[in-house]
């Protein structure tokens, strides 16, 4: 590979990561100001809070497979550019709406559903394009991308923590500007994919699902990511904010700080993996990190000391970063080139689709049970499920020859 080609590849990856980073800054902003509005302004019950968080990811369950189908058939540069632009238009609409009146619970649900729809189409397209742009150093680029996707949300948390001073309409306006900038960034990427002939959606979906179910690595990794979505994301978006609200002097800045330290732990794990040059036995590392992260769910509801809780959340983020990196790399390495985006969409379906299930489930449990009991139940179910999956698919000692074909 000559210097010019390497320069273009580096430039394209930089523009891609910029667009992805701006998207996830917006995700970070929303992760603070929407829960703050629900808890501090609308005074939503735990059940209402869980429903609102469920709506944010509910469209993923219905649309992410179709999103993967479109990503396999349409030029990815054009697709992502348009999706980011639509997100900017939606945020601008809600900014104008909030400027004219106050934000209601139904408006929060509406925005959550709309953003969930966009996420369902963005996620598989983004992951498929990453595989094309970073195929020469796939594990390293995937790991760095995860670090940027989640780590840069720290900036979003800091901005979201200003909602009580700036107001919700200004937050939506900021989102519109960031989404628009992301659209401009990815539009400048020189590398794209060609449009492919249209084929039957159900046939392609069945083919991708059949391949994934029969694969000795992909299917158990999908199952583990589903568990992470239900119990870890559900705990992150429902249990953690509600637990923080029980601390003295709770406000949006405390929620922002908690999210920031979680992401600091995640960034630390990404840095560790990159500096270490990757991991040889990724399935085993995935299992260990998931088990240890499950134990955090038992301890967290008992901790009411602010600094101890923040330290615990940082460790949880470190383990989460390892689990996410191992899971995504295993899928990227083993997904076939023909319908890679749809297999990656299955990963999003299991991971992100588990969030609304977990949000609704944990929100309902917290309505009737103490948080300490819910934490023990969650961790117990998670660890038992990990043990069953690992034993059934012999994941602990698995060895495989990955495909790693992007074209």
């Amino acid at each position: 590979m000559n210097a010019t080609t390497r320069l273009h590849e580096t430039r394209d990856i930089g523009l891609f990561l910029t667009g992805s980073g701006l998207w996830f800054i917006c995700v970070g902003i929303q992760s603070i100001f929407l829960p703050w509005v629900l808890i501090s302004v609308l005074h939503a019950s735990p059940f209402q809070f869980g429903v609102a968080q469920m709506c944010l990811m509910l469209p993923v369950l219905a649309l992410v497979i179709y999103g993967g189908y479109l990503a396999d058939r349409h030029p990815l540069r054009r697709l992502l550019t348009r999706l980011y632009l639509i997100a900017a238009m939606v945020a601008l609409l809600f900014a104008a709406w909030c400027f004219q009146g106050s934000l209601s619970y139904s408006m929060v649900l509406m925005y959550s559903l709309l953003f969930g729809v966009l996420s369902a189409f963005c996620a598989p397209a983004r992951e498929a394009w990453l595989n094309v742009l970073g195929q020469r150093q796939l594990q390293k680029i995937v790991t760095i991308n995860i670090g940027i996707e989640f780590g840069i949300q720290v900036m979003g948390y800091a901005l979201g923590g200003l909602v009580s001073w700036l107001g919700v309409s200004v937050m939506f306006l900021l989102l519109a500007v960031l989404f628009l900038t992301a659209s401009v960034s990815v539009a400048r990427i020189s590398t794209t994919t060609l449009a492919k002939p249209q084929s039957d959606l159900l046939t392609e979906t069945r083919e991708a699902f059949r391949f994934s179910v029969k694969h000795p690595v992909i299917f158990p990794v999908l199952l583990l990511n589903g568990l992470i979505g239900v119990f870890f994301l559900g705990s992150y978006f429902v249990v953690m904010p509600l637990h923080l609200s029980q601390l003295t002097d709770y406000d949006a800045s405390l929620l922002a700080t908690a999210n920031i330290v979680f992401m600091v732990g995640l960034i630390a794990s990404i840095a560790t993996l990159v500096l270490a040059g990757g991991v040889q036995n990724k399935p085993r590392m995935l299992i260990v990190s998931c088990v240890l992260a499950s134990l955090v769910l038992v301890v967290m509801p008992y901790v009411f000391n602010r600094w101890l809780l923040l330290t615990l959340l940082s460790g949880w983020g470190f383990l989460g970063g390892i689990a996410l990196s191992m899971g995504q790399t295993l899928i990227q390495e083993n997904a076939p080139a023909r319908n890679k985006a749809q297999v990656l969409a299955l990963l999003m379906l299991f991971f992100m689709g588990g969030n609304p299930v977990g949000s609704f489930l944990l929100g309902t449990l917290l309505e009737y049970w103490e948080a300490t009991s819910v934490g023990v139940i969650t961790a117990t179910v998670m660890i038992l499920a990990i043990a069953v999956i690992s034993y059934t698919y012999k994941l602990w000692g698995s060895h495989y020859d990955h495909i790693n074909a992007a074209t």
Side-chain angles (χ1 to χ4, degrees):
M1 183 171 61
N2 58 44
T4 302
T5 302
R6 188 181 297 110
L7 182 63
H8 280 293
E9 183 178 282
T10 302
R11 175 184 176 274
D12 284 348
I13 292 175
L15 289 170
F16 173 86
L17 294 176
T18 298
S20 181
L22 290 169
W23 172 276
F24 282 95
I25 288 176
C26 295
V27 172
I29 293 173
Q30 294 171 175
S31 298
I32 301 301
F33 91 83
L34 289 180
W36 180 82
V37 168
L38 288 167
I39 293 173
S40 301
V41 178
L42 301 177
H43 305 292
S45 68
F47 177 77
Q48 289 177 316
F49 188 87
V51 169
Q53 296 289 50
M54 177 186 69
C55 288
L56 195 60
M57 292 297 177
L58 189 62
V60 175
L61 288 171
L63 296 173
V64 73
I65 296 298
Y66 184 58
Y69 171 80
L70 291 180
D72 277 328
R73 297 289 171 267
H74 293 271
L76 291 172
R77 179 176 58 199
R78 183 177 65 188
L79 181 61
L80 264 186
T81 299
R82 291 179 176 179
L83 288 170
Y84 288 165
L85 183 59
I86 293 171
M89 294 170 63
V90 170
L92 187 60
L93 175 63
F94 274 80
W97 200 351
C98 292
F99 184 77
Q100 295 178 350
S102 60
L103 189 65
S104 65
Y105 181 71
S106 59
M107 288 174 62
V108 173
L109 296 184
M110 186 183 304
Y111 180 79
S112 297
L113 287 170
L114 287 172
F115 187 75
V117 170
L118 291 169
S119 297
F121 290 108
C122 279
R126 194 165 47 234
E127 296 301 324
W129 205 5
L130 175 66
N131 189 275
V132 174
L133 296 173
Q135 60 181 292
R136 298 181 191 277
Q137 304 179 74
L138 190 57
Q139 183 179 352
K140 180 180 178 180
I141 298 300
V142 168
T143 302
I144 292 174
N145 183 60
I146 292 173
I148 291 175
E149 286 184 355
F150 289 90
I152 205 166
Q153 290 185 50
V154 170
M155 187 181 298
Y157 297 150
L159 293 171
L162 302 175
V163 62
S164 56
W165 291 277
L166 297 179
V168 176
S169 59
V170 174
M171 286 296 165
F172 277 119
L173 184 60
L174 177 60
L175 290 175
V177 172
L178 293 173
F179 284 135
L180 179 61
T181 307
S183 179
V184 173
S185 179
V186 298
R188 297 175 58 205
I189 297 176
S190 60
T191 303
T192 186
T193 55
L194 299 176
K196 298 178 183 178
Q198 297 294 320
S199 57
D200 183 65
L201 172 61
L202 292 179
T203 300
E204 292 291 329
T205 302
R206 281 197 298 267
E207 181 180 334
F209 185 76
R210 189 179 299 114
F211 176 87
S212 300
V213 169
K214 292 180 179 180
H215 198 280
V217 174
I218 289 181
F219 191 58
V221 171
L222 289 177
L223 293 177
L224 288 176
N225 273 270
L227 291 171
I228 292 172
V230 173
F231 295 111
F232 290 171
L233 284 184
S235 297
Y236 183 82
F237 287 110
V238 176
V239 177
M240 186 189 75
L242 291 174
H243 181 63
L244 288 170
S245 68
Q246 304 301 312
L247 273 62
T248 56
D249 300 326
Y250 166 79
D251 57 13
S253 63
L254 176 59
L255 182 58
T257 302
N259 282 272
I260 288 171
V261 298
F262 178 89
M263 290 304 171
V264 168
L266 190 146
I267 294 170
S269 72
I270 298 302
T272 301
L273 289 172
V274 172
L275 292 174
V279 174
Q280 288 298 113
N281 197 322
K282 302 180 192 73
R284 187 171 297 184
M285 183 62 72
L286 174 62
I287 294 168
V288 171
S289 59
C290 285
V291 170
L292 293 177
S294 300
L295 298 178
V296 175
L297 299 179
V298 178
V299 178
M300 183 168 58
Y302 290 95
V303 179
F304 288 92
N305 179 278
R306 176 176 300 203
W307 299 111
L308 184 58
L309 181 59
L310 293 177
T311 302
L312 187 67
L313 290 173
S314 178
W316 197 32
F318 186 91
L319 295 169
I322 293 176
L324 289 173
S325 179
M326 295 302 101
Q328 286 198 25
T329 302
L330 285 167
I331 299 296
Q332 288 272 13
E333 289 179 342
N334 288 277
R338 171 178 167 78
N339 45 15
K340 183 178 291 290
Q342 281 197 293
V343 175
L344 292 169
L346 286 174
L347 174 65
M348 296 299 104
L349 177 64
F350 278 76
F351 176 62
M352 298 171 66
N355 186 7
V357 177
S359 295
F360 181 81
L361 174 64
L362 296 176
T364 303
L365 289 175
L366 288 170
E367 188 80 20
Y368 302 102
W369 289 33
E370 293 291 332
T372 51
S373 300
V374 174
V376 172
I377 293 171
T378 300
T380 302
V381 173
M382 185 74 184
I383 292 174
L384 287 176
I386 292 170
V388 170
I389 293 170
S390 301
Y391 177 78
T392 302
Y393 295 95
K394 300 178 174 59
L395 198 59
W396 182 263
S398 65
H399 298 280
Y400 64 95
D401 297 319
H402 61 76
I403 296 172
N404 195 15
T407 59

